[in-house]
Amino acid sequence: MRKLLLFLLLVSASPGFAHVGSSGVVLQGQAGAYRLLVDVQPPDVIPGTAQVTVYVESGDASRVLARPIYFRSGDEGAPDYDALEPVSGQLGQFQGIVWLMENGSSSVQIKIEGAQGEGEMVVPLVAMSTAERDMPAGLGWTLTALGLLLVILLVTVIGASVSDGMLRAGQVLSPQQKRKRWLNMGIAFVACVLILYGGSSWWDSWAREYRQYMYKPLTATGTVVRQDGQRVFQLKIDTTDSKSKRGANYLSYLVPDHGKMMHLFLVRTPGLDAFAHLHPERIDSTTFQAYLPKLPAGKYLVYGDIFSYSGFTETLTDTIDIPELVEGQAIRRTDPEDTYVVTDPLNEPKNIPLDANVVVCGKPGTRTALLDGSYVVWEGQANQVFAAGKPYQLKFEVFAPDGTAARLQPYLGMAGHAAVVRSDGSVYVHLHPVGTVAMASELSLKNRIADTARVFKRAAPGIFRDSIDRHVAALKKMPDTERENFLMQEMGMEVTADSTTHEGMDHGSSISFPYAFPRAGQYRIFLQVKRNGQVLTGIFDARVEEEGI
C-alpha cells in the first residue's frame, strides 16, 4: 500500500508530456553524411535554456550549430543558429545551450559542417514551464536591505533639495523651511511606497499569470467493465479541468503514431511482473477502449501515449484494478498487434509457473528466451551498473532457436520497440531504435519546417478528426506487409528486402535503443520485436546509480 501511495504521489507531481519522469530527449540519426547522437535537456522554466549535447559517431565534424524552431512560427520565424562548443578531451562531442522563449511543441535544429560537407537534423522537443524558481533567502534579504537604503537616500536627497539647497554658508533652516523639508520628505516617502506597492502588485500579477500557464497534464480515468463476458479497458480523458487550458477540440487534433491513435502500456505493480502493450480504439474525442488480454488480476499502472498534430506528445497516467478473468471465455483482441506477457516479480525468486505467455527476466550480459523458442542477448557486462543521466546504447541481439541470427520483421514500422519502467512507476518511457522521440512528432515537425507559412493554420476540428479516423481505418484494413511498408516510408525509412533502415541505420538481427536513465533506481525493460508474424517480448532488469558513486 505504501508503494502504491508513493507511485501516485510521484506520478501526480511529474509532467505528463512525452513520457513520465524522463524529460530529456535522446535521438540518434543521420545529418547528411554524419551519424549523430543528440541529447537535449529542456528547461523547466520558460523562457529558459535547453542543454544540447551532440555526439558525432561517424564523420569528421568541424562545426556544430543549433537553433530552436517553434511549431507555430516554423522555419520562417526561427532565430539564427548558435554555435556549440567542442568538449575538451572528448573527440567528436559538442555542447551548448539554446534559448527557448515559447511554451509548446518545438524542435532543436542541428546543423553540422565538416569534411563530409553539411548536414541537418531535427530533434522534436516539448518545452513547457513546469516549475517556479524561488529566490534564495540570502539574496532576498540583501535586495530588501538595498531597497530600503535606496528609499532612505532618495527621501533624504529630495528633502535636502527643497531646503538645504537654498541656504547660504553659515545659515540654519528656519522653522518654515524645516516644515517644507519634512513635508516633501513625507510626500517622497509616500511616492516611494506607492511605487514599491505598484511594482509588487505587477510582479504578483505576472507570477499568477505564469502559474496559470504552467503545464498541467491532462487527467484521465481508467476503468474495467464487463461486456459480453469480456474485460474491456476504457480510458476517459477529462476536458472539464480548466487548469490544463485544453478542451475537447484539442483532442480532435490527435494523430496516429505508427498507425495507432494510442499506445497503451499496462504494468502490474509492485512486482512489474505482468505487461501489456495495447492499441485502444477511439470511441469519441475523449474515450479510448480496448479488450484486455489474459492478464492476471491485480493493480496495474496505466501509461497511455497520445500525439497532437503539432508534435506535442503526452502520456496519460492512472492506476486500475483488473479483476479475475472468467475461465473458459474466448479472448478478443482490439488490435492484432496487442500483446501481453507474464514474468517473475522484481527482486523475487523465479518461481512463476511456466505457460504460453510467461517469459523469464534477464540482465545485461545474459540472454532470455522468447515465447517461440528464440532468444535475446543483451550485450554488455554481467551485473553492469548504469550511471544516471549518461546516454547509453542498449544493444540487443536476437537469435533463432538453432543459434543463428534471427530475421526480424518490421513491427509497427520499426525494427522494434521498448518500454522502460522504474520500480516505483515514477519513470516510464517508450523507446524506439532512434531514441525517445515519437515518430509522429518527428514527422510533424519536419513537415512544419518545410512549410513556408509564417503562422500555422489548422483545419476545423471535426474535419480534421474525420480525416484521421478514415486514415487509421484504411491502415487497419491493409495487409500486414503493405501496412508496414507504408508506415516505414511515412516515417522516412528505406524499405529493403531483408531489413529496415532509418536514414542509413541498418538493424538486421540486432537492435539498439539510445537512452539516458534519468535517476538512480531499479528499472525493468520490456523489449518487443516481431518474428514470423508474432510479436515477442523479452524482459530485462537494470540497476542505475547516481553518476560518480
Side-chain angles (χ1 to χ4, degrees):
M1 185 64 182
R2 292 182 63 186
K3 289 185 177 180
L4 175 60
L5 290 174
L6 176 61
F7 164 75
L8 292 173
L9 288 171
L10 288 167
V11 168
S12 64
S14 300
F17 57 85
H19 303 291
V20 175
S22 186
S23 61
V25 176
V26 180
L27 181 65
Q28 186 178 51
Q30 291 290 132
Y34 306 92
R35 185 176 182 179
L36 308 180
L37 178 65
V38 182
D39 182 8
V40 181
Q41 297 296 324
D44 57 5
V45 173
I46 304 295
T49 57
Q51 300 292 326
V52 182
T53 305
V54 176
Y55 304 86
V56 182
E57 298 182 322
S58 67
D60 184 11
S62 59
R63 191 167 181 238
V64 178
L65 308 168
R67 67 169 179 168
I69 296 183
Y70 308 105
F71 184 86
R72 186 175 182 276
S73 55
D75 182 65
E76 295 297 311
D80 293 334
Y81 285 98
D82 290 319
L84 304 184
E85 297 297 326
V87 177
S88 177
Q90 301 293 328
L91 184 64
Q93 184 175 337
F94 296 79
Q95 199 168 55
I97 63 171
V98 169
W99 272 97
L100 298 175
M101 306 300 295
E102 297 180 13
N103 279 305
S105 180
S106 58
S107 61
V108 175
Q109 187 175 34
I110 305 296
K111 184 177 181 180
I112 187 167
E113 302 171 355
Q116 288 76 36
E118 295 186 356
E120 290 186 354
M121 181 175 173
V122 176
V123 182
L125 184 67
V126 174
M128 298 296 292
S129 294
T130 60
E132 285 185 277
R133 289 284 177 265
D134 293 328
M135 182 179 295
L139 177 61
W141 285 112
T142 300
L143 292 177
T144 300
L146 291 175
L148 289 174
L149 177 62
L150 289 175
V151 169
I152 293 171
L153 291 175
L154 179 62
V155 170
T156 302
V157 169
I158 291 174
S161 66
V162 298
S163 57
D164 296 12
M166 301 176 63
L167 293 177
R168 295 179 182 178
Q171 284 186 323
V172 296
L173 291 175
S174 66
Q176 183 179 3
Q177 288 173 323
K178 289 181 179 179
R179 286 194 300 270
K180 185 176 182 181
R181 181 175 68 177
W182 284 110
L183 175 63
N184 283 274
M185 289 176 65
I187 294 173
F189 178 76
V190 171
C192 288
V193 170
L194 290 175
I195 292 172
L196 291 173
Y197 177 78
S200 176
S201 298
W202 170 83
W203 182 264
D204 290 342
S205 174
W206 188 90
R208 284 194 299 271
E209 184 177 359
Y210 174 84
R211 285 192 291 270
Q212 184 180 5
Y213 286 93
M214 281 177 60
Y215 174 75
K216 304 294 190 303
L218 288 173
T219 57
T221 302
T223 56
V224 179
V225 298
R226 299 275 188 181
Q227 292 182 4
D228 300 327
Q230 300 287 318
R231 298 179 303 178
V232 178
F233 173 81
Q234 293 180 344
L235 188 66
K236 191 168 185 64
I237 304 171
D238 181 13
T239 59
T240 62
D241 183 4
S242 61
K243 293 180 180 179
S244 69
K245 297 299 177 184
R246 284 157 289 174
N249 280 347
Y250 168 77
L251 297 176
S252 294
Y253 291 99
L254 298 184
V255 296
D257 184 49
H258 304 285
K260 312 296 182 183
M261 291 302 299
M262 176 183 285
H263 291 270
L264 177 72
F265 295 89
L266 303 175
V267 185
R268 188 163 70 167
T269 184
L272 309 187
D273 56 347
F275 167 86
H277 180 184
L278 310 179
H279 307 99
E281 292 182 336
R282 179 162 63 176
I283 306 303
D284 55 47
S285 293
T286 62
T287 307
F288 291 80
Q289 179 174 294
Y291 288 111
L292 286 176
K294 195 179 176 181
L295 286 169
K299 189 169 290 292
Y300 283 76
L301 312 177
V302 178
Y303 305 100
D305 296 337
I306 56 175
F307 317 88
S308 170
Y309 76 98
S310 67
F312 194 89
T313 64
E314 296 189 73
T315 298
L316 308 170
T317 61
D318 196 14
T319 59
I320 60 166
D321 288 301
I322 295 182
E324 293 285 353
L325 179 69
V326 176
E327 291 297 331
Q329 182 71 44
I331 303 298
R332 299 179 188 173
R333 285 198 295 180
T334 304
D335 189 281
E337 289 164 314
D338 287 355
T339 59
Y340 86 98
V341 292
V342 178
T343 186
D344 45 296
L346 196 67
N347 298 325
E348 292 187 19
K350 297 176 173 56
N351 55 3
I352 53 172
L354 297 178
D355 64 23
N357 274 84
V358 171
V359 296
V360 176
C361 191
K363 295 181 179 180
T366 66
R367 74 181 193 181
T368 183
L370 302 178
L371 296 178
D372 68 342
S374 57
Y375 59 92
V376 182
V377 175
W378 183 1
E379 298 181 7
Q381 298 178 351
N383 299 318
Q384 179 178 356
V385 177
F386 298 89
K390 180 180 178 181
Y392 289 93
Q393 286 287 354
L394 308 179
K395 296 182 179 180
F396 303 89
E397 186 79 27
V398 185
F399 295 89
D402 62 1
T404 60
R407 182 175 179 179
L408 299 180
Q409 295 173 296
Y411 171 41
L412 300 178
M414 305 206 77
H417 297 251
V420 179
V421 181
R422 195 173 183 266
S423 59
D424 61 358
S426 63
V427 175
Y428 151 81
V429 63
H430 182 183
L431 290 178
H432 303 121
V434 295
T436 62
V437 172
M439 301 308 295
S441 299
E442 184 179 13
L443 180 63
S444 178
L445 287 161
K446 283 184 177 179
N447 290 339
R448 181 65 183 101
I449 291 173
D451 184 4
T452 57
R454 178 62 185 262
V455 178
F456 180 80
K457 295 182 179 180
R458 58 187 183 182
I463 295 175
F464 188 92
R465 181 189 159 185
D466 288 345
S467 65
I468 293 298
D469 286 344
R470 289 195 299 270
H471 173 67
V472 172
L475 282 176
K476 201 168 184 178
K477 293 178 181 178
M478 288 182 182
D480 288 351
T481 302
E482 182 181 349
R483 181 174 62 252
E484 294 291 350
N485 288 342
F486 176 86
L487 292 175
M488 287 186 288
Q489 291 170 354
E490 184 182 52
M491 293 183 288
M493 297 186 183
E494 180 183 348
V495 181
T496 64
D498 299 318
S499 64
T500 63
T501 61
H502 178 265
E503 297 179 336
M505 290 187 291
D506 190 350
H507 299 291
S509 62
S510 64
I511 183 170
S512 64
F513 301 90
Y515 183 57
F517 295 96
R519 55 197 180 93
Q522 288 183 294
Y523 291 79
R524 182 154 279 189
I525 301 170
F526 301 90
L527 167 70
Q528 295 195 292
V529 295
K530 192 173 184 179
R531 183 172 178 271
N532 296 328
Q534 182 181 7
V535 179
L536 305 168
T537 303
I539 304 175
F540 296 87
D541 286 341
R543 185 161 61 94
V544 180
E545 294 182 352
E546 295 297 340
E547 192 169 8
I549 295 179

